[in-house]
Amino acid sequence: MNTQSPLLFLLVFLLQWLLAPASLAAESKRVYLPLSDKISASADYYPGEVGKPWVMILHGFMQTSRFPTVVHMAESLNDAGYHVLAPTLSLNINNRKKSMACEAIHTHTFEQDLKEVALWANWLYNQSPRHSKRILIGHSSGALHVINYLYQHPEHDFSETLFLSIPYFGPRPYASETPADEQRALQAIKNHDNGLHRFGLSFCKQYTTTAKGFLSYYRLDADDTAGKIRAIKIPKTLIFGSHDVRIDQQWNKNLQQEGVRVIAIKGADHFFNDEFEFELHDVVESVLQADAPSP
Amino acid sequence: MSKKRLSIKHYALVFIFAYVAVFLISGAFTLDSIQQANRQISNAEYNNGRNTLIGAINKLVKNNRQITEKFSRWDEVKQQLAQPEFYSYWQTHRLYSSGFFPDYFIEAAIYNLSGHVLAKISSSTLPQHLGTAKPEPWFAIENGQAFLFTPAAVIDEIKKKDSGVCFNQKQGSQRTDNTEAVQLS
């Protein structure tokens, strides 16, 4: 027995050592970006293969880079050799790790989100070789971050963009936010009221934020979003689920008129859950490969 | 000279005295043994009770520490430290309805790097200032009730250092006579 224990230990150690490189290859690294002296943002970076494109994936409303749709997409692309960066927007919280609850206090604005997106885009640019292909992907409201970033930064270095469902804010069927909320917010701004108010926003019936914070999202309505999409000059593809009840299906079809290639995944919902996840990954990879310049 | 011989009565008296003496001595020994056994039983019961109470309090402190440390890692706590402008609103309208604490938690507060509470809440009974030394749990007896205070440091995981900010929780329970006597090891 005495001689078996060290041998067993040695065997376990050797197995761990042999398996370590394989397991590390599939793992992401946590990278941090200081935003102020009190707040840093974090991202998951999946190192890819030399010469492969660099992808940045933005998560949906109040989610994180660990949201299943984002994680699985990042892992799938990384398995195919892509370098993937998946930031978690700080929403004014140092090293935020969890999705925000609707009932929490929201001190962030859409403009602050965009500044972070720009910083991460810059990080991606600095990490990647000069002539790398860079792709920007957004899931759900992450697509709105993508659209607004590309619109506000025409000098960007991305050569292609993919939207995995594009919602919009503002009045629409089943929206929590209403014109009455907008009126209250506008009145608060007029009164120089910087305090907290409860509004409806996206899927949140009670979203506690400042009037400025609320309006920064509310203004991203259908017309605003469609106009900005039209102005984006790089190849843009929308992939949506035909059973996505969160988004008006007619809106998806109308986006074709804005120069967007629209691909529907039959039966998928807003999050491309279950078996549709694999179909989504196949579609994304085929789109990226089809658009890749021939060697 | 004739030797006077003791009568049977004298023998009987001597025997009776000797018997009584032996009875009293053995009785005293027995009584002492019984008292000693009683003392041992009392001591054992006291030690047993004391150990049970210490164990229960240690478990209580440990459980509360786990909850408090989880609280210290909560994103919304970090949010309040970075942006304390809305702390009063958050403390009043969000904290206690968040479902973060069990019902027996009475109050919670967040303190900044200097040990000052982020905002003074008029209804709060927690101290407005804490020492900046490493916080340890403590008990206090107020109006016949025992309260457990469980502070925890909020760590900045990126900078890998104590952000210097701690918060405090207060748990109320009925006072028991033993509570005061117990010293937590």
Side-chain angles (χ1 to χ4, degrees):
Chain A
M1 286 297 286
N2 285 342
T3 53
Q4 280 179 346
S5 295
L7 280 173
L8 191 67
F9 177 78
L10 191 66
L11 189 66
V12 170
F13 177 79
L14 280 171
L15 273 171
Q16 281 185 332
W17 182 73
L18 285 168
L19 292 173
S23 59
L24 280 176
E27 283 178 5
S28 62
K29 294 175 181 175
R30 199 80 167 155
V31 289
Y32 301 99
L33 202 59
L35 304 173
S36 69
D37 58 334
K38 287 184 176 174
I39 299 174
S40 293
S42 60
D44 292 316
Y45 169 57
Y46 304 73
E49 294 167 13
V50 176
K52 281 284 192 173
W54 290 64
V55 180
M56 183 157 91
I57 307 176
L58 299 178
H59 60 75
F61 192 52
M62 299 197 296
Q63 296 300 330
T64 70
S65 61
R66 303 284 166 95
F67 190 72
T69 310
V70 174
V71 170
H72 298 157
M73 174 57 68
E75 287 174 349
S76 167
L77 288 171
N78 186 237
D79 286 345
Y82 292 79
H83 305 260
V84 182
L85 177 72
T88 294
L89 296 177
S90 76
L91 308 183
N92 271 346
I93 292 173
N94 184 34
N95 189 21
R96 187 170 69 88
K97 289 180 174 172
K98 306 272 179 164
S99 58
M100 286 285 280
C102 289
E103 299 78 18
I105 288 175
H106 301 275
T107 61
H108 52 95
T109 63
F110 189 76
E111 287 75 21
Q112 287 173 328
D113 297 347
L114 281 189
K115 281 182 186 168
E116 281 182 42
V117 172
L119 287 170
W120 283 117
N122 196 40
W123 184 94
L124 191 83
Y125 178 79
N126 288 333
Q127 295 295 316
S128 52
R130 194 175 170 194
H131 297 293
S132 300
K133 182 181 180 183
R134 301 180 193 89
I135 300 148
L136 192 49
I137 299 177
H139 172 240
S140 190
S141 73
L144 287 178
H145 287 111
V146 168
I147 291 161
N148 281 273
Y149 166 76
L150 294 174
Y151 176 78
Q152 285 186 13
H153 297 267
E155 76 288 359
H156 65 78
D157 301 292
F158 291 96
S159 53
E160 183 170 3
T161 183
L162 272 77
F163 314 119
L164 313 179
S165 307
I166 307 176
Y168 56 86
F169 290 98
R172 64 191 186 283
Y174 309 114
S176 301
E177 61 270 34
T178 63
D181 286 325
E182 183 192 22
Q183 286 308 311
R184 280 197 300 123
L186 290 170
Q187 190 61 43
I189 299 264
K190 197 175 170 185
N191 296 339
H192 305 288
D193 175 359
N194 298 320
L196 296 168
H197 300 270
R198 281 184 181 166
F199 303 99
L201 190 63
S202 186
F203 52 82
C204 296
K205 300 289 177 199
Q206 288 200 329
Y207 180 89
T208 307
T209 187
T210 59
K212 186 183 167 192
F214 169 76
L215 288 174
S216 72
Y217 291 92
Y218 184 85
R219 284 172 176 156
L220 306 170
D221 60 15
D223 289 343
D224 177 85
T225 303
K228 286 169 180 169
I229 290 173
R230 197 181 310 132
I232 297 169
K233 300 300 178 196
I234 57 173
K236 48 212 173 193
T237 304
L238 163 65
I239 303 167
F240 71 96
S242 67
H243 285 193
D244 185 347
V245 292
R246 293 181 177 227
I247 294 172
D248 176 14
Q249 296 291 327
Q250 192 56 45
W251 155 255
N252 288 326
K253 288 168 190 165
N254 290 348
L255 286 176
Q256 279 180 316
Q257 296 164 11
E258 312 299 343
V260 179
R261 173 168 43 179
V262 176
I263 300 170
I265 294 184
K266 267 191 177 176
D269 63 9
H270 191 66
F271 304 103
F272 304 93
N273 283 329
D274 304 325
E275 72 270 25
F276 302 108
E277 186 178 290
F278 301 106
E279 197 176 340
L280 171 70
H281 298 165
D282 289 344
V283 169
V284 167
E285 283 185 44
S286 64
V287 167
L288 296 181
Q289 281 165 10
D291 292 340
S294 45
Chain B
M1 222 167 106
S2 64
K3 199 175 177 181
K4 194 176 178 180
R5 299 184 65 182
L6 293 172
S7 69
I8 189 77
K9 283 181 182 174
H10 289 110
Y11 281 115
L13 274 171
V14 168
F15 178 76
I16 287 166
F17 278 123
Y19 182 84
V20 169
V22 168
F23 180 80
L24 287 174
I25 290 166
S26 67
F29 272 115
T30 307
L31 185 65
D32 184 58
S33 299
I34 289 168
Q35 285 176 338
Q36 208 173 337
N38 274 339
R39 277 197 300 274
Q40 284 175 348
I41 289 167
S42 293
N43 283 343
E45 283 178 347
Y46 174 81
N47 286 335
N48 196 24
R50 187 175 181 276
N51 290 337
T52 305
L53 190 61
I54 289 174
I57 289 173
N58 275 335
K59 193 177 172 187
L60 179 75
V61 171
K62 188 181 168 191
N63 287 346
N64 284 6
R65 266 191 155 162
Q66 284 173 346
I67 294 168
T68 311
E69 279 163 12
K70 190 179 167 196
F71 181 52
S72 75
R73 294 190 293 271
W74 191 23
D75 280 342
E76 291 187 35
V77 168
K78 294 188 284 179
Q79 178 195 45
Q80 293 306 311
L81 287 169
Q83 281 194 309
E85 300 94 277
F86 299 119
Y87 176 73
S88 299
Y89 184 97
W90 180 80
Q91 229 257 6
T92 313
H93 294 95
R94 167 67 178 150
L95 175 59
Y96 300 119
S97 60
S98 65
F100 210 100
F101 299 119
D103 292 341
Y104 53 82
F105 274 76
I106 297 171
E107 275 188 74
I110 305 177
Y111 296 80
N112 65 20
L113 198 62
S114 322
H116 293 285
V117 70
L118 293 188
K120 292 173 187 173
I121 311 287
S122 58
S123 58
S124 175
T125 59
L126 287 169
Q128 292 185 0
H129 184 263
L130 283 182
T132 50
K134 190 185 174 190
E136 291 292 337
W138 77 89
F139 276 98
I141 311 290
E142 291 170 18
N143 300 325
Q145 276 199 307
F147 296 98
L148 171 59
F149 295 75
T150 318
V154 182
I155 308 292
D156 187 330
E157 292 178 9
I158 299 175
K159 294 174 183 167
K160 295 287 180 196
K161 67 176 186 180
D162 190 344
S163 71
V165 183
C166 54
F167 54 85
N168 199 322
Q169 294 173 355
K170 189 176 182 184
Q171 182 200 358
S173 62
Q174 287 300 315
R175 173 183 170 179
T176 63
D177 289 334
N178 290 330
T179 309
E180 288 174 295
V182 170
Q183 286 187 331
L184 294 174
S185 55

